Amino acid sequence: MDNDLVKLSQAADYAARRHVAQRRKGERAEPYLNHLTEVAAMLAEATAGSDPELVMAGLLHDTIEDTGTTRADLTAQFGADVASLVEEVTDDKSLPKDVRKRLQVEKTPGKSKRARLLKIADKTSNLRGLVASPPTGWTEQRLRDYVVWAEQVVRSCRGLNAKLEAQFDEAYDIARRRFGA
Ligand code: ZN
């Protein structure tokens, strides 16, 4: 029973339950789960199915930050590897937003390769979301700032996976042209 497909299905189910009330910030207010499954699918494809724990971490990557899940919860359910990957990509929400954003640029280069792959997929999904459905109430400047910041974070994730990098670059190019960043 304890095989990868079982664990992966459990991670998807867990993420869906944890984020059940959450919507994306965009005007379409898509279920948050769509972001998580997009990130997980990108990671699965980019690693050709060779790293199920990374795909699980993709599904679970916002549970600590957004749903009050703890690292201990994730360790108990999905093991230490998945829990530590999720923790690696989790911001400290006790810090102000501008500090958190600066720290992402500064700290991402020191993260593990797999955490950086997760970061690329996350930022790619976010940029696609920004273009498909810009958050209500965001000014043009705020949209531009996000696009520029996302590229700064991803800069230190380059050279790790050509497929993910190409997907990021495409999303970044479209967002940059759309918002004039
Ligand atoms: Zn995310």
Side-chain angles (χ1 to χ4, degrees), residues 32 35 61-62 122:
Y32 201 76
H35 165 62
H61 78 271
D62 283 323
D122 189 28

PDB file of all heavy atoms in Angstrom, residues 32 35 61-62 122, ligand 1:
ATOM      1  N   TYR A  32      -7.613  27.350  -5.455  1.00  0.00           N
ATOM      2  CA  TYR A  32      -6.170  27.375  -5.231  1.00  0.00           C
ATOM      3  C   TYR A  32      -5.520  26.070  -5.655  1.00  0.00           C
ATOM      4  O   TYR A  32      -4.369  26.040  -6.078  1.00  0.00           O
ATOM      5  CB  TYR A  32      -5.868  27.679  -3.754  1.00  0.00           C
ATOM      6  CG  TYR A  32      -4.474  28.199  -3.573  1.00  0.00           C
ATOM      7  CD1 TYR A  32      -4.162  29.511  -3.919  1.00  0.00           C
ATOM      8  CD2 TYR A  32      -3.449  27.380  -3.125  1.00  0.00           C
ATOM      9  CE1 TYR A  32      -2.876  30.002  -3.801  1.00  0.00           C
ATOM     10  CE2 TYR A  32      -2.156  27.864  -3.000  1.00  0.00           C
ATOM     11  CZ  TYR A  32      -1.876  29.169  -3.340  1.00  0.00           C
ATOM     12  OH  TYR A  32      -0.593  29.644  -3.233  1.00  0.00           O
ATOM     13  N   HIS A  35      -3.491  25.813  -8.840  1.00  0.00           N
ATOM     14  CA  HIS A  35      -2.078  26.232  -8.792  1.00  0.00           C
ATOM     15  C   HIS A  35      -1.196  25.058  -8.345  1.00  0.00           C
ATOM     16  O   HIS A  35      -0.141  24.798  -8.924  1.00  0.00           O
ATOM     17  CB  HIS A  35      -1.945  27.417  -7.837  1.00  0.00           C
ATOM     18  CG  HIS A  35      -0.541  27.727  -7.425  1.00  0.00           C
ATOM     19  ND1 HIS A  35       0.436  28.106  -8.328  1.00  0.00           N
ATOM     20  CD2 HIS A  35       0.069  27.726  -6.207  1.00  0.00           C
ATOM     21  CE1 HIS A  35       1.580  28.308  -7.675  1.00  0.00           C
ATOM     22  NE2 HIS A  35       1.391  28.085  -6.397  1.00  0.00           N
ATOM     23  N   HIS A  61       3.239  22.450  -1.320  1.00  0.00           N
ATOM     24  CA  HIS A  61       4.239  23.489  -1.038  1.00  0.00           C
ATOM     25  C   HIS A  61       3.695  24.710  -0.314  1.00  0.00           C
ATOM     26  O   HIS A  61       4.463  25.459   0.284  1.00  0.00           O
ATOM     27  CB  HIS A  61       5.005  23.885  -2.312  1.00  0.00           C
ATOM     28  CG  HIS A  61       4.266  24.798  -3.254  1.00  0.00           C
ATOM     29  ND1 HIS A  61       3.446  24.331  -4.248  1.00  0.00           N
ATOM     30  CD2 HIS A  61       4.225  26.143  -3.347  1.00  0.00           C
ATOM     31  CE1 HIS A  61       2.948  25.362  -4.919  1.00  0.00           C
ATOM     32  NE2 HIS A  61       3.388  26.468  -4.398  1.00  0.00           N
ATOM     33  N   ASP A  62       2.397  24.946  -0.377  1.00  0.00           N
ATOM     34  CA  ASP A  62       1.853  26.117   0.321  1.00  0.00           C
ATOM     35  C   ASP A  62       1.078  25.746   1.589  1.00  0.00           C
ATOM     36  O   ASP A  62       0.431  26.609   2.186  1.00  0.00           O
ATOM     37  CB  ASP A  62       0.948  26.919  -0.631  1.00  0.00           C
ATOM     38  CG  ASP A  62       1.753  27.752  -1.623  1.00  0.00           C
ATOM     39  OD1 ASP A  62       2.811  28.290  -1.237  1.00  0.00           O
ATOM     40  OD2 ASP A  62       1.334  27.859  -2.794  1.00  0.00           O
ATOM     41  N   ASP A 122       6.813  27.082  -9.300  1.00  0.00           N
ATOM     42  CA  ASP A 122       5.893  27.953  -8.574  1.00  0.00           C
ATOM     43  C   ASP A 122       5.803  29.327  -9.243  1.00  0.00           C
ATOM     44  O   ASP A 122       4.713  29.841  -9.508  1.00  0.00           O
ATOM     45  CB  ASP A 122       6.411  28.087  -7.126  1.00  0.00           C
ATOM     46  CG  ASP A 122       5.446  28.795  -6.205  1.00  0.00           C
ATOM     47  OD1 ASP A 122       4.212  28.734  -6.442  1.00  0.00           O
ATOM     48  OD2 ASP A 122       5.911  29.411  -5.222  1.00  0.00           O
TER      49      ASP A 122
HETATM   50 ZN    ZN B   1       2.739  28.457  -4.764  1.00  0.00          ZN
END
